[in-house]
Amino acid sequence: MTPPCPIERHLSQPVPDWAPLVQAASPLLFALARRHDVRDPEEFAFQVLRRALAERRCWSRSGLPGRVWLCGLALQAARPASPSHLSGTAAS
């Protein structure tokens, strides 16, 4: 059996430790921040991780891999910061 990814390991702890979670998730969150032209990537990462810790019981019930679930939270957070979601045929 494959060991859980570091993000899952930290989300599943009864009292998660911020430092290792930040270290495990930062590359992903900063890449998403760049992709969505987020103005303050550090604040973005902090807000996503804060929400992830607050809602980690939702992750365990979702059945999703931790990384996928975290990406979903990050994309929800990035959407208001990115005007590109308004472009396209739906906005016309």
Side-chain angles (χ1 to χ4, degrees), residues 2-13 16-17 20-27 59 66-67 70:
T2 306
C5 79
I7 294 170
E8 288 182 7
R9 190 170 50 249
H10 298 298
L11 287 175
S12 64
Q13 294 178 2
D17 186 5
L21 180 59
V22 168
Q23 186 175 11
S26 287
W59 161 68
R67 187 175 173 92
L70 190 64

Side-chain angles (χ1 to χ4, degrees), residues 34-48:
R34 271 193 311 278
R35 172 84 167 108
H36 291 277
D37 296 322
V38 173
R39 290 181 197 202
D40 188 345
E42 289 179 4
E43 180 64 20
F44 170 78
F46 172 74
Q47 294 298 329
V48 172

